[in-house]
Amino acid sequence: MKIALASSEIFPFAKTGGLADVAGALGKYLSKQKIDIRMFTPLYSATDFSVSTFYPVDFLQDMEMWFADRKIVYSVHTAKLPDSNTDVYFISCPELYNRWSIYTEDPDEFLRFAVLNRATLEICQRMGWAPDIIHCNDWQTALIPLYLKTTYKWDTLFKNTRTVLSIHNIGYQGLFSTYIIGALGFQDYLHLLDSYDLKSNLFNFLKLGVIHADWLSTVSKTYAHEIQTAEYGAGMEAMLSYRKYILTGIVNGVDYDEWDPQTDKYIPFKFSLKAPSGKQKNKKYLLEKIGFQYDEKTPLIGVVSRLVEQKGFDLIIAVLENIINYNDVQFVILGSGHHRYEQFFQYMADKYPNKLAFFTGYKNELSHLIEAGSDMFLMPSRYEPCGLNQIYSLKYGTIPIVRKTGGLADTVELYQWETQTGTGFVFEDYSEQGLEWALNYAIETFSYPEAWNKIVKNAMSMNYSWTIQVKEYIKMYKNILK
Ligand code: ADP
Ligand code: GLC
């Protein structure tokens, strides 16, 4: 089977969130299953060159692409995805990709990713390589199915190619005004666009992917149902419900080569279910590193997240001061995103030294230390397509406190005193009371070491390896090709 996977982020080359982890893991674990997978992504100024060796592809230099009367020139470099045999094709176009961040609000944002869509197809053409499936991910690559039906329709290379669009987050749709239609080359194909959007002067990348892809997937079973409802569908619920027979929910796996406390290269003390003592040492190390006092009996609650509304920060803000004032707890928070959240956590860190530490920016090593050293991991998302940190947390014995939504609902089970089953603390309603209940329940349980040890054992026994999850993808691909 030949799979072309296009993604705007691929770990370890460039990452802002879980999409990178998932794309990188799929590239690696599909190749382990002997699938011919090739990946397509931009070469950003932020791309990490140190993780692999890059070569220019000699027959893919100074290629031209037209967007109405704008000429884009790009070249292609290739590098192996680490620990795999997978070739990643990097689209080098400094005028588009040398920006201060991977995503921007610049006026040509649509063009930056339209180039990724078209270059993916044109590189396949130049290689004479006909993928069985083109796997698109999120809005940034969602136009590929439409391009196959329009601009590239003439090319018989793609006559048996099928497309699948994975929705990692329906909250980001790539919404622009219709003025870009001409530049994208769709002016003669208005009948293939969404008529409601056209009337409202909108052009929506993700929606066009949902309409034109041969198959759809998303990153957990619960989210696959949720996005068919008005509460979670972000305006696409009717369309998704209409296409539900071709919508598959596959929960994300974890690359345990990266996220396993037994081998994690970023943590000073390795530990595992069978030899758990390193966990306390990591907690002590982390607290000392941030200048906090260590006490085994004081629960340390970690957060690693993009600081955006999706992740439930409004709830955290509402309850945090109460929790800190009425309990003996410490927080360590790593995140970057909206200024108002960054400001709030900085304010709290100044107000409660030795109780709350806040770090901003993207810090991979610190994120591993927080997973290893914290007792609990807080993730009370308003919505969560899958979520990875709660799954990493399970393996690190860092008990997740989550809201029952999307992938959080599928991966964390509420701890029950009576049966001593469960892996975390789960609340249902998106409310301050819900979060306070879960936090208090967790803090209370922590004071009973026997119960806590049991829940840690339950959590650490969970296995969300990509070795297992990737088979679900292969099953889906086969199904699409039937
Ligand atoms: P999302 O993709 O919505 O951000 P996920 O839970 O799927 O959420 O994935 C987030 C990924 O990004 C995790 O690997 C997490 O460790 C990482 N991450 C998020 N914020 C930071 C940060 N500030 N520094 C380092 N890693 C981060
Ligand atoms: C998105 C979602 C997150 C998911 C990730 C990878 O960014 O917000 O829940 O885990 O994609 O699929």
Side-chain angles (χ1 to χ4, degrees):
M1 206 187 303
K2 289 176 285 180
I3 309 286
L5 189 144
S7 175
S8 56
E9 309 180 13
I10 300 174
F11 182 83
F13 298 108
K15 166 168 167 180
T16 69
L19 170 62
D21 292 343
V22 173
L26 275 175
K28 176 168 156 185
Y29 286 85
L30 284 169
S31 87
K32 283 189 195 211
Q33 298 292 324
K34 305 276 176 272
I35 287 195
D36 178 4
I37 167 152
R38 305 186 191 186
M39 307 179 82
F40 302 83
T41 197
L43 189 70
Y44 302 105
S45 37
T47 301
D48 188 348
F49 281 94
S50 71
V51 294
S52 191
T53 311
F54 286 67
Y55 303 95
V57 184
D58 54 7
F59 61 96
L60 297 171
Q61 295 300 303
D62 300 320
M63 315 233 290
E64 289 180 7
M65 197 185 272
W66 289 89
F67 289 86
D69 50 7
R70 169 123 186 233
K71 183 166 83 174
I72 295 290
V73 181
Y74 69 99
S75 295
V76 178
H77 296 253
T78 182
K80 288 280 181 210
L81 184 70
D83 305 321
S84 79
N85 198 28
T86 302
D87 289 316
V88 183
Y89 294 90
F90 292 87
I91 295 131
S92 163
C93 182
E95 68 170 303
L96 295 180
Y97 301 131
N98 283 8
R99 301 279 164 94
W100 62 277
S101 65
I102 291 180
Y103 306 117
T104 75
E105 288 180 7
D106 297 343
D108 61 353
E109 187 73 351
F110 76 96
L111 188 63
R112 299 178 70 230
F113 294 105
V115 167
L116 171 59
N117 287 257
R118 289 187 53 191
T120 298
L121 296 173
E122 294 194 7
I123 295 168
C124 290
Q125 289 179 315
R126 298 281 180 120
M127 295 191 298
W129 184 70
D132 296 309
I133 297 219
I134 302 183
H135 188 158
C136 313
N137 293 278
D138 276 351
W139 76 263
Q140 294 87 355
T141 50
L143 287 186
I144 290 176
L146 182 58
Y147 270 122
L148 278 175
K149 292 180 181 176
T150 56
T151 314
Y152 300 91
K153 193 173 174 202
W154 60 271
D155 194 343
T156 52
L157 182 77
F158 298 119
K159 74 174 186 298
N160 294 320
T161 298
R162 297 286 170 270
T163 53
V164 53
L165 169 65
S166 288
I167 300 172
H168 296 263
N169 194 331
I170 211 163
Y172 300 86
Q173 302 186 352
L175 207 53
F176 301 93
S177 127
T178 41
Y179 80 88
I180 68 173
I181 288 175
L184 296 179
F186 298 134
Q187 64 283 3
D188 296 332
Y189 302 103
L190 296 183
H191 59 288
L192 294 179
L193 307 186
D194 183 73
S195 52
Y196 288 105
D197 280 354
L198 283 177
K199 274 188 215 133
S200 320
N201 199 26
L202 291 173
F203 184 94
N204 183 327
F205 274 55
L206 189 70
K207 193 187 276 185
L208 290 166
V210 167
I211 294 173
H212 293 288
D214 296 306
W215 203 271
L216 302 170
S217 82
T218 186
V219 287
S220 68
K221 288 210 177 349
T222 296
Y223 196 60
H225 291 293
E226 285 175 343
I227 54 178
Q228 297 175 45
T229 67
E231 191 182 348
Y232 293 97
M236 289 210 259
E237 55 277 6
M239 198 164 284
L240 286 159
S241 178
Y242 179 70
R243 304 206 79 194
K244 68 178 170 209
Y245 299 104
I246 57 143
L247 169 62
T248 308
I250 304 175
V251 81
N252 287 330
V254 173
D255 185 353
Y256 289 124
D257 294 346
E258 297 290 332
W259 293 97
D260 180 345
Q262 215 171 345
T263 51
D264 190 326
K265 58 178 180 274
Y266 298 113
I267 65 173
F269 304 100
K270 316 294 177 215
F271 63 100
S272 66
L273 182 59
K274 289 203 183 103
S277 64
K279 173 126 188 112
Q280 266 319 306
K281 294 184 189 148
N282 284 305
K283 175 174 175 183
K284 191 153 185 265
Y285 176 85
L286 172 62
L287 285 168
E288 274 165 8
K289 198 177 155 82
I290 63 181
F292 279 17
Q293 227 162 342
Y294 162 78
D295 181 351
E296 196 183 342
K297 294 203 186 72
T298 305
L300 175 63
I301 305 181
V303 174
V304 178
S305 182
R306 291 182 297 118
L307 299 180
V308 293
E309 207 221 333
Q310 170 198 345
K311 302 290 178 180
F313 285 107
D314 295 318
L315 286 190
I316 296 182
I317 288 175
V319 309
L320 190 59
E321 205 145 14
N322 249 352
I323 293 290
I324 288 184
N325 284 327
Y326 291 102
N327 297 280
D328 186 20
V329 282
Q330 291 171 315
F331 283 87
V332 52
I333 297 173
L334 166 64
S336 61
H338 289 328
H339 189 55
R340 66 189 160 109
Y341 297 133
E342 291 188 5
Q343 256 181 336
F344 171 78
F345 288 123
Q346 197 48 60
Y347 161 81
M348 290 295 283
D350 295 341
K351 186 165 175 188
Y352 295 100
N354 201 38
K355 285 218 149 197
L356 188 143
F358 174 59
F359 300 91
T360 188
Y362 176 82
K363 297 188 167 72
N364 190 37
E365 182 170 350
L366 182 59
S367 74
H368 284 251
L369 271 178
I370 291 176
E371 284 292 0
S374 305
D375 297 298
M376 305 166 189
F377 191 89
L378 180 59
M379 200 167 168
S381 305
R382 179 185 282 280
Y383 75 91
E384 196 61 69
C386 180
L388 293 171
N389 281 106
Q390 85 281 9
I391 318 183
Y392 303 155
S393 298
L394 293 171
K395 191 48 96 204
Y396 286 74
T398 304
I399 301 310
I401 301 168
V402 301
R403 181 167 164 253
K404 191 169 186 174
T405 182
L408 299 174
D410 292 1
T411 55
V412 183
E413 192 196 322
L414 177 64
Y415 179 70
Q416 310 276 2
W417 269 95
E418 307 74 46
T419 51
Q420 298 202 340
T421 54
T423 52
F425 298 89
V426 186
F427 66 102
E428 299 208 5
D429 292 340
Y430 188 78
S431 67
E432 292 165 30
Q433 293 81 346
L435 176 56
E436 246 169 352
W437 171 82
L439 276 164
N440 285 325
Y441 184 14
I443 294 166
E444 166 82 7
T445 311
F446 187 77
S447 65
Y448 295 90
E450 229 172 83
W452 197 259
N453 285 341
K454 180 70 175 97
I455 184 170
V456 166
K457 267 193 194 142
N458 294 347
M460 292 182 81
S461 315
M462 292 290 129
N463 183 2
Y464 284 93
S465 167
W466 269 116
T467 313
I468 303 167
Q469 294 313 101
V470 80
K471 296 197 173 122
E472 298 292 316
Y473 276 89
I474 296 174
K475 214 176 4 172
M476 175 178 75
Y477 296 149
K478 284 187 175 154
N479 206 14
I480 300 170
L481 293 173
K482 254 193 215 156

